[in-house]
PDB file of all heavy atoms in Angstrom:
ATOM      1  N   PRO A 245       0.785  -1.250   0.010  1.00  0.00           N
ATOM      2  CA  PRO A 245      -0.006   0.003   0.005  1.00  0.00           C
ATOM      3  C   PRO A 245       0.805   1.273   0.004  1.00  0.00           C
ATOM      4  O   PRO A 245       0.280   2.325  -0.343  1.00  0.00           O
ATOM      5  CB  PRO A 245      -0.817  -0.125   1.303  1.00  0.00           C
ATOM      6  CG  PRO A 245      -0.018  -1.041   2.165  1.00  0.00           C
ATOM      7  CD  PRO A 245       0.613  -1.999   1.222  1.00  0.00           C
ATOM      8  N   PHE A 246       2.089   1.200   0.392  1.00  0.00           N
ATOM      9  CA  PHE A 246       2.892   2.433   0.482  1.00  0.00           C
ATOM     10  C   PHE A 246       3.761   2.709  -0.744  1.00  0.00           C
ATOM     11  O   PHE A 246       4.458   3.697  -0.822  1.00  0.00           O
ATOM     12  CB  PHE A 246       3.786   2.390   1.718  1.00  0.00           C
ATOM     13  CG  PHE A 246       2.974   2.255   3.004  1.00  0.00           C
ATOM     14  CD1 PHE A 246       2.984   1.064   3.710  1.00  0.00           C
ATOM     15  CD2 PHE A 246       2.208   3.300   3.473  1.00  0.00           C
ATOM     16  CE1 PHE A 246       2.249   0.937   4.888  1.00  0.00           C
ATOM     17  CE2 PHE A 246       1.454   3.182   4.629  1.00  0.00           C
ATOM     18  CZ  PHE A 246       1.449   1.993   5.342  1.00  0.00           C
ATOM     19  N   ARG A 247       3.673   1.813  -1.710  1.00  0.00           N
ATOM     20  CA  ARG A 247       4.384   2.054  -2.973  1.00  0.00           C
ATOM     21  C   ARG A 247       3.575   2.973  -3.859  1.00  0.00           C
ATOM     22  O   ARG A 247       2.378   3.048  -3.744  1.00  0.00           O
ATOM     23  CB  ARG A 247       4.646   0.734  -3.702  1.00  0.00           C
ATOM     24  CG  ARG A 247       5.657  -0.175  -3.027  1.00  0.00           C
ATOM     25  CD  ARG A 247       5.899  -1.412  -3.902  1.00  0.00           C
ATOM     26  NE  ARG A 247       6.784  -2.361  -3.250  1.00  0.00           N
ATOM     27  CZ  ARG A 247       7.136  -3.520  -3.776  1.00  0.00           C
ATOM     28  NH1 ARG A 247       6.643  -3.883  -4.959  1.00  0.00           N
ATOM     29  NH2 ARG A 247       7.954  -4.340  -3.126  1.00  0.00           N
ATOM     30  N   LYS A 248       4.294   3.658  -4.748  1.00  0.00           N
ATOM     31  CA  LYS A 248       3.617   4.488  -5.713  1.00  0.00           C
ATOM     32  C   LYS A 248       2.754   3.637  -6.627  1.00  0.00           C
ATOM     33  O   LYS A 248       3.020   2.469  -6.837  1.00  0.00           O
ATOM     34  CB  LYS A 248       4.641   5.290  -6.525  1.00  0.00           C
ATOM     35  CG  LYS A 248       5.390   6.341  -5.760  1.00  0.00           C
ATOM     36  CD  LYS A 248       6.332   7.119  -6.690  1.00  0.00           C
ATOM     37  CE  LYS A 248       7.080   8.192  -5.900  1.00  0.00           C
ATOM     38  NZ  LYS A 248       8.031   8.929  -6.803  1.00  0.00           N
ATOM     39  N   ALA A 249       1.710   4.249  -7.160  1.00  0.00           N
ATOM     40  CA  ALA A 249       0.847   3.523  -8.104  1.00  0.00           C
ATOM     41  C   ALA A 249       1.649   3.028  -9.289  1.00  0.00           C
ATOM     42  O   ALA A 249       2.547   3.698  -9.800  1.00  0.00           O
ATOM     43  CB  ALA A 249      -0.259   4.440  -8.564  1.00  0.00           C
ATOM     44  N   ARG A 250       1.348   1.797  -9.693  1.00  0.00           N
ATOM     45  CA  ARG A 250       2.098   1.176 -10.796  1.00  0.00           C
ATOM     46  C   ARG A 250       1.222   1.196 -12.047  1.00  0.00           C
ATOM     47  O   ARG A 250       0.033   0.985 -11.989  1.00  0.00           O
ATOM     48  CB  ARG A 250       2.474  -0.253 -10.432  1.00  0.00           C
ATOM     49  CG  ARG A 250       3.125  -1.075 -11.524  1.00  0.00           C
ATOM     50  CD  ARG A 250       3.607  -2.382 -10.992  1.00  0.00           C
ATOM     51  NE  ARG A 250       4.768  -2.243 -10.158  1.00  0.00           N
ATOM     52  CZ  ARG A 250       5.122  -3.112  -9.222  1.00  0.00           C
ATOM     53  NH1 ARG A 250       4.420  -4.202  -9.030  1.00  0.00           N
ATOM     54  NH2 ARG A 250       6.211  -2.913  -8.503  1.00  0.00           N
ATOM     55  N   VAL A 251       1.859   1.400 -13.200  1.00  0.00           N
ATOM     56  CA  VAL A 251       1.132   1.377 -14.451  1.00  0.00           C
ATOM     57  C   VAL A 251       0.906  -0.077 -14.847  1.00  0.00           C
ATOM     58  O   VAL A 251       1.843  -0.870 -14.936  1.00  0.00           O
ATOM     59  CB  VAL A 251       1.922   2.091 -15.578  1.00  0.00           C
ATOM     60  CG1 VAL A 251       1.212   1.937 -16.904  1.00  0.00           C
ATOM     61  CG2 VAL A 251       2.079   3.562 -15.232  1.00  0.00           C
ATOM     62  N   CYS A 252      -0.356  -0.459 -15.035  1.00  0.00           N
ATOM     63  CA  CYS A 252      -0.694  -1.832 -15.326  1.00  0.00           C
ATOM     64  C   CYS A 252      -1.439  -1.916 -16.645  1.00  0.00           C
ATOM     65  O   CYS A 252      -2.139  -0.970 -17.052  1.00  0.00           O
ATOM     66  CB  CYS A 252      -1.597  -2.402 -14.227  1.00  0.00           C
ATOM     67  SG  CYS A 252      -0.863  -2.395 -12.591  1.00  0.00           S
ATOM     68  N   LEU A 253      -1.297  -3.064 -17.321  1.00  0.00           N
ATOM     69  CA  LEU A 253      -2.042  -3.271 -18.557  1.00  0.00           C
ATOM     70  C   LEU A 253      -3.515  -3.515 -18.210  1.00  0.00           C
ATOM     71  O   LEU A 253      -3.841  -4.103 -17.192  1.00  0.00           O
ATOM     72  CB  LEU A 253      -1.489  -4.491 -19.284  1.00  0.00           C
ATOM     73  CG  LEU A 253      -0.008  -4.501 -19.618  1.00  0.00           C
ATOM     74  CD1 LEU A 253       0.339  -5.725 -20.484  1.00  0.00           C
ATOM     75  CD2 LEU A 253       0.413  -3.235 -20.346  1.00  0.00           C
ATOM     76  N   CYS A 254      -4.397  -3.041 -19.071  1.00  0.00           N
ATOM     77  CA  CYS A 254      -5.836  -3.250 -18.835  1.00  0.00           C
ATOM     78  C   CYS A 254      -6.548  -3.278 -20.202  1.00  0.00           C
ATOM     79  O   CYS A 254      -5.911  -3.231 -21.246  1.00  0.00           O
ATOM     80  CB  CYS A 254      -6.402  -2.169 -17.934  1.00  0.00           C
ATOM     81  SG  CYS A 254      -6.307  -0.487 -18.644  1.00  0.00           S
ATOM     82  N   GLY A 255      -7.871  -3.340 -20.158  1.00  0.00           N
ATOM     83  CA  GLY A 255      -8.629  -3.349 -21.417  1.00  0.00           C
ATOM     84  C   GLY A 255      -9.301  -4.672 -21.702  1.00  0.00           C
ATOM     85  O   GLY A 255      -9.271  -5.598 -20.907  1.00  0.00           O
ATOM     86  N   GLU A 256      -9.892  -4.773 -22.900  1.00  0.00           N
ATOM     87  CA  GLU A 256     -10.672  -5.958 -23.254  1.00  0.00           C
ATOM     88  C   GLU A 256      -9.831  -7.248 -23.265  1.00  0.00           C
ATOM     89  O   GLU A 256     -10.302  -8.289 -22.863  1.00  0.00           O
ATOM     90  CB  GLU A 256     -11.302  -5.751 -24.656  1.00  0.00           C
ATOM     91  CG  GLU A 256     -12.393  -4.682 -24.678  1.00  0.00           C
ATOM     92  CD  GLU A 256     -13.035  -4.548 -26.041  1.00  0.00           C
ATOM     93  OE1 GLU A 256     -12.669  -5.359 -26.954  1.00  0.00           O
ATOM     94  OE2 GLU A 256     -13.895  -3.691 -26.222  1.00  0.00           O
ATOM     95  N   GLN A 257      -8.609  -7.143 -23.766  1.00  0.00           N
ATOM     96  CA  GLN A 257      -7.763  -8.344 -23.833  1.00  0.00           C
ATOM     97  C   GLN A 257      -7.387  -8.828 -22.435  1.00  0.00           C
ATOM     98  O   GLN A 257      -7.311 -10.051 -22.179  1.00  0.00           O
ATOM     99  CB  GLN A 257      -6.506  -8.056 -24.647  1.00  0.00           C
ATOM    100  CG  GLN A 257      -6.751  -7.871 -26.147  1.00  0.00           C
ATOM    101  CD  GLN A 257      -7.380  -9.093 -26.783  1.00  0.00           C
ATOM    102  OE1 GLN A 257      -7.076 -10.239 -26.401  1.00  0.00           O
ATOM    103  NE2 GLN A 257      -8.252  -8.874 -27.755  1.00  0.00           N
ATOM    104  N   MET A 258      -7.167  -7.910 -21.522  1.00  0.00           N
ATOM    105  CA  MET A 258      -6.852  -8.316 -20.147  1.00  0.00           C
ATOM    106  C   MET A 258      -8.085  -8.922 -19.494  1.00  0.00           C
ATOM    107  O   MET A 258      -7.998  -9.889 -18.730  1.00  0.00           O
ATOM    108  CB  MET A 258      -6.353  -7.111 -19.348  1.00  0.00           C
ATOM    109  CG  MET A 258      -5.641  -7.454 -18.056  1.00  0.00           C
ATOM    110  SD  MET A 258      -4.197  -8.517 -18.250  1.00  0.00           S
ATOM    111  CE  MET A 258      -3.079  -7.445 -19.175  1.00  0.00           C
ATOM    112  N   ASP A 259      -9.257  -8.375 -19.795  1.00  0.00           N
ATOM    113  CA  ASP A 259     -10.511  -8.953 -19.290  1.00  0.00           C
ATOM    114  C   ASP A 259     -10.673 -10.398 -19.786  1.00  0.00           C
ATOM    115  O   ASP A 259     -11.025 -11.299 -19.024  1.00  0.00           O
ATOM    116  CB  ASP A 259     -11.705  -8.151 -19.748  1.00  0.00           C
ATOM    117  CG  ASP A 259     -11.814  -6.795 -19.044  1.00  0.00           C
ATOM    118  OD1 ASP A 259     -11.054  -6.545 -18.085  1.00  0.00           O
ATOM    119  OD2 ASP A 259     -12.674  -5.964 -19.459  1.00  0.00           O
ATOM    120  N   ALA A 260     -10.403 -10.618 -21.082  1.00  0.00           N
ATOM    121  CA  ALA A 260     -10.534 -11.942 -21.653  1.00  0.00           C
ATOM    122  C   ALA A 260      -9.506 -12.886 -21.043  1.00  0.00           C
ATOM    123  O   ALA A 260      -9.825 -14.072 -20.757  1.00  0.00           O
ATOM    124  CB  ALA A 260     -10.347 -11.888 -23.185  1.00  0.00           C
ATOM    125  N   ALA A 261      -8.296 -12.414 -20.832  1.00  0.00           N
ATOM    126  CA  ALA A 261      -7.279 -13.271 -20.220  1.00  0.00           C
ATOM    127  C   ALA A 261      -7.663 -13.644 -18.817  1.00  0.00           C
ATOM    128  O   ALA A 261      -7.423 -14.780 -18.354  1.00  0.00           O
ATOM    129  CB  ALA A 261      -5.932 -12.525 -20.204  1.00  0.00           C
ATOM    130  N   ALA A 262      -8.254 -12.706 -18.053  1.00  0.00           N
ATOM    131  CA  ALA A 262      -8.704 -13.029 -16.682  1.00  0.00           C
ATOM    132  C   ALA A 262      -9.810 -14.055 -16.696  1.00  0.00           C
ATOM    133  O   ALA A 262      -9.826 -14.970 -15.873  1.00  0.00           O
ATOM    134  CB  ALA A 262      -9.186 -11.721 -15.997  1.00  0.00           C
ATOM    135  N   ASP A 263     -10.755 -13.916 -17.654  1.00  0.00           N
ATOM    136  CA  ASP A 263     -11.850 -14.909 -17.751  1.00  0.00           C
ATOM    137  C   ASP A 263     -11.307 -16.277 -18.154  1.00  0.00           C
ATOM    138  O   ASP A 263     -11.723 -17.303 -17.593  1.00  0.00           O
ATOM    139  CB  ASP A 263     -12.867 -14.440 -18.779  1.00  0.00           C
ATOM    140  CG  ASP A 263     -13.601 -13.179 -18.347  1.00  0.00           C
ATOM    141  OD1 ASP A 263     -13.622 -12.896 -17.133  1.00  0.00           O
ATOM    142  OD2 ASP A 263     -14.138 -12.456 -19.226  1.00  0.00           O
ATOM    143  N   GLU A 264     -10.370 -16.316 -19.093  1.00  0.00           N
ATOM    144  CA  GLU A 264      -9.785 -17.602 -19.492  1.00  0.00           C
ATOM    145  C   GLU A 264      -9.024 -18.242 -18.330  1.00  0.00           C
ATOM    146  O   GLU A 264      -9.098 -19.448 -18.119  1.00  0.00           O
ATOM    147  CB  GLU A 264      -8.851 -17.385 -20.674  1.00  0.00           C
ATOM    148  CG  GLU A 264      -9.568 -17.099 -21.985  1.00  0.00           C
ATOM    149  CD  GLU A 264      -8.628 -16.785 -23.127  1.00  0.00           C
ATOM    150  OE1 GLU A 264      -7.440 -16.496 -22.875  1.00  0.00           O
ATOM    151  OE2 GLU A 264      -9.093 -16.816 -24.284  1.00  0.00           O
ATOM    152  N   SER A 265      -8.306 -17.403 -17.583  1.00  0.00           N
ATOM    153  CA  SER A 265      -7.562 -17.913 -16.447  1.00  0.00           C
ATOM    154  C   SER A 265      -8.511 -18.541 -15.417  1.00  0.00           C
ATOM    155  O   SER A 265      -8.188 -19.602 -14.847  1.00  0.00           O
ATOM    156  CB  SER A 265      -6.763 -16.768 -15.797  1.00  0.00           C
ATOM    157  OG  SER A 265      -5.828 -16.235 -16.694  1.00  0.00           O
ATOM    158  N   MET A 266      -9.620 -17.888 -15.134  1.00  0.00           N
ATOM    159  CA  MET A 266     -10.597 -18.413 -14.158  1.00  0.00           C
ATOM    160  C   MET A 266     -11.166 -19.741 -14.640  1.00  0.00           C
ATOM    161  O   MET A 266     -11.326 -20.686 -13.867  1.00  0.00           O
ATOM    162  CB  MET A 266     -11.677 -17.397 -13.917  1.00  0.00           C
ATOM    163  CG  MET A 266     -12.782 -17.848 -12.949  1.00  0.00           C
ATOM    164  SD  MET A 266     -12.158 -18.435 -11.356  1.00  0.00           S
ATOM    165  CE  MET A 266     -11.421 -16.902 -10.724  1.00  0.00           C
ATOM    166  N   ILE A 267     -11.501 -19.812 -15.922  1.00  0.00           N
ATOM    167  CA  ILE A 267     -12.058 -21.057 -16.459  1.00  0.00           C
ATOM    168  C   ILE A 267     -11.071 -22.174 -16.394  1.00  0.00           C
ATOM    169  O   ILE A 267     -11.373 -23.303 -15.964  1.00  0.00           O
ATOM    170  CB  ILE A 267     -12.540 -20.830 -17.917  1.00  0.00           C
ATOM    171  CG1 ILE A 267     -13.769 -19.890 -17.916  1.00  0.00           C
ATOM    172  CG2 ILE A 267     -12.868 -22.148 -18.611  1.00  0.00           C
ATOM    173  CD1 ILE A 267     -14.170 -19.389 -19.284  1.00  0.00           C
ATOM    174  N   LEU A 268      -9.821 -21.908 -16.774  1.00  0.00           N
ATOM    175  CA  LEU A 268      -8.776 -22.932 -16.708  1.00  0.00           C
ATOM    176  C   LEU A 268      -8.520 -23.386 -15.273  1.00  0.00           C
ATOM    177  O   LEU A 268      -8.342 -24.577 -15.013  1.00  0.00           O
ATOM    178  CB  LEU A 268      -7.484 -22.370 -17.337  1.00  0.00           C
ATOM    179  CG  LEU A 268      -7.472 -22.144 -18.833  1.00  0.00           C
ATOM    180  CD1 LEU A 268      -6.248 -21.359 -19.260  1.00  0.00           C
ATOM    181  CD2 LEU A 268      -7.534 -23.462 -19.591  1.00  0.00           C
ATOM    182  N   LEU A 269      -8.528 -22.453 -14.350  1.00  0.00           N
ATOM    183  CA  LEU A 269      -8.340 -22.774 -12.935  1.00  0.00           C
ATOM    184  C   LEU A 269      -9.458 -23.658 -12.438  1.00  0.00           C
ATOM    185  O   LEU A 269      -9.231 -24.633 -11.724  1.00  0.00           O
ATOM    186  CB  LEU A 269      -8.239 -21.498 -12.111  1.00  0.00           C
ATOM    187  CG  LEU A 269      -8.183 -21.690 -10.578  1.00  0.00           C
ATOM    188  CD1 LEU A 269      -6.903 -22.442 -10.211  1.00  0.00           C
ATOM    189  CD2 LEU A 269      -8.276 -20.357  -9.880  1.00  0.00           C
ATOM    190  N   TRP A 270     -10.668 -23.337 -12.814  1.00  0.00           N
ATOM    191  CA  TRP A 270     -11.830 -24.129 -12.360  1.00  0.00           C
ATOM    192  C   TRP A 270     -11.695 -25.592 -12.801  1.00  0.00           C
ATOM    193  O   TRP A 270     -11.905 -26.493 -11.941  1.00  0.00           O
ATOM    194  CB  TRP A 270     -13.133 -23.520 -12.932  1.00  0.00           C
ATOM    195  CG  TRP A 270     -14.375 -24.335 -12.657  1.00  0.00           C
ATOM    196  CD1 TRP A 270     -14.917 -25.285 -13.452  1.00  0.00           C
ATOM    197  CD2 TRP A 270     -15.173 -24.249 -11.500  1.00  0.00           C
ATOM    198  NE1 TRP A 270     -16.044 -25.804 -12.887  1.00  0.00           N
ATOM    199  CE2 TRP A 270     -16.216 -25.188 -11.656  1.00  0.00           C
ATOM    200  CE3 TRP A 270     -15.141 -23.483 -10.333  1.00  0.00           C
ATOM    201  CZ2 TRP A 270     -17.208 -25.392 -10.682  1.00  0.00           C
ATOM    202  CZ3 TRP A 270     -16.131 -23.668  -9.371  1.00  0.00           C
ATOM    203  CH2 TRP A 270     -17.143 -24.622  -9.562  1.00  0.00           C
ATOM    204  N   TYR A 271     -11.359 -25.827 -14.032  1.00  0.00           N
ATOM    205  CA  TYR A 271     -11.247 -27.202 -14.501  1.00  0.00           C
ATOM    206  C   TYR A 271     -10.006 -27.892 -13.960  1.00  0.00           C
ATOM    207  O   TYR A 271     -10.007 -29.128 -13.787  1.00  0.00           O
ATOM    208  CB  TYR A 271     -11.286 -27.243 -16.014  1.00  0.00           C
ATOM    209  CG  TYR A 271     -12.697 -26.991 -16.553  1.00  0.00           C
ATOM    210  CD1 TYR A 271     -13.036 -25.739 -17.081  1.00  0.00           C
ATOM    211  CD2 TYR A 271     -13.665 -27.984 -16.482  1.00  0.00           C
ATOM    212  CE1 TYR A 271     -14.329 -25.493 -17.535  1.00  0.00           C
ATOM    213  CE2 TYR A 271     -14.968 -27.733 -16.952  1.00  0.00           C
ATOM    214  CZ  TYR A 271     -15.289 -26.518 -17.475  1.00  0.00           C
ATOM    215  OH  TYR A 271     -16.571 -26.278 -17.919  1.00  0.00           O
ATOM    216  N   LYS A 272      -8.928 -27.109 -13.703  1.00  0.00           N
ATOM    217  CA  LYS A 272      -7.771 -27.716 -13.073  1.00  0.00           C
ATOM    218  C   LYS A 272      -8.108 -28.183 -11.641  1.00  0.00           C
ATOM    219  O   LYS A 272      -7.705 -29.274 -11.210  1.00  0.00           O
ATOM    220  CB  LYS A 272      -6.620 -26.683 -13.007  1.00  0.00           C
ATOM    221  CG  LYS A 272      -5.382 -27.143 -12.231  1.00  0.00           C
ATOM    222  CD  LYS A 272      -4.715 -28.318 -12.948  1.00  0.00           C
ATOM    223  CE  LYS A 272      -3.346 -28.612 -12.358  1.00  0.00           C
ATOM    224  NZ  LYS A 272      -3.348 -29.045 -10.954  1.00  0.00           N
ATOM    225  N   LEU A 273      -8.851 -27.389 -10.888  1.00  0.00           N
ATOM    226  CA  LEU A 273      -9.287 -27.780  -9.564  1.00  0.00           C
ATOM    227  C   LEU A 273     -10.190 -29.010  -9.624  1.00  0.00           C
ATOM    228  O   LEU A 273     -10.074 -29.935  -8.804  1.00  0.00           O
ATOM    229  CB  LEU A 273     -10.028 -26.622  -8.879  1.00  0.00           C
ATOM    230  CG  LEU A 273      -9.175 -25.429  -8.472  1.00  0.00           C
ATOM    231  CD1 LEU A 273     -10.061 -24.276  -8.013  1.00  0.00           C
ATOM    232  CD2 LEU A 273      -8.173 -25.796  -7.372  1.00  0.00           C
ATOM    233  N   SER A 274     -11.083 -29.027 -10.616  1.00  0.00           N
ATOM    234  CA  SER A 274     -11.954 -30.211 -10.773  1.00  0.00           C
ATOM    235  C   SER A 274     -11.165 -31.463 -11.081  1.00  0.00           C
ATOM    236  O   SER A 274     -11.444 -32.561 -10.534  1.00  0.00           O
ATOM    237  CB  SER A 274     -12.939 -29.949 -11.911  1.00  0.00           C
ATOM    238  OG  SER A 274     -13.771 -28.840 -11.643  1.00  0.00           O
ATOM    239  N   ASP A 275     -10.092 -31.331 -11.863  1.00  0.00           N
ATOM    240  CA  ASP A 275      -9.237 -32.429 -12.149  1.00  0.00           C
ATOM    241  C   ASP A 275      -8.470 -32.909 -10.919  1.00  0.00           C
ATOM    242  O   ASP A 275      -8.312 -34.103 -10.677  1.00  0.00           O
ATOM    243  CB  ASP A 275      -8.241 -32.047 -13.264  1.00  0.00           C
ATOM    244  CG  ASP A 275      -7.441 -33.225 -13.792  1.00  0.00           C
ATOM    245  OD1 ASP A 275      -8.092 -34.226 -14.212  1.00  0.00           O
ATOM    246  OD2 ASP A 275      -6.214 -33.184 -13.781  1.00  0.00           O
TER     247      ASP A 275
END
């Protein structure tokens, strides 16, 4: 919390990557 704000990637592609990551994680946990 005490570090300066960091520039991060965002946007539609990052949203899609987050959704894909969650789906992959779900099935990995199921496995």
Side-chain angles (χ1 to χ4, degrees):
F246 299 109
R247 291 184 184 178
K248 291 182 179 180
R250 175 173 287 157
V251 175
C252 301
L253 305 186
C254 63
E256 292 182 5
Q257 290 300 324
M258 196 59 65
D259 288 352
D263 294 339
E264 288 175 345
S265 298
M266 178 54 63
I267 291 169
L268 291 169
L269 175 64
W270 174 267
Y271 285 103
K272 175 65 170 63
L273 290 171
S274 299
D275 190 55

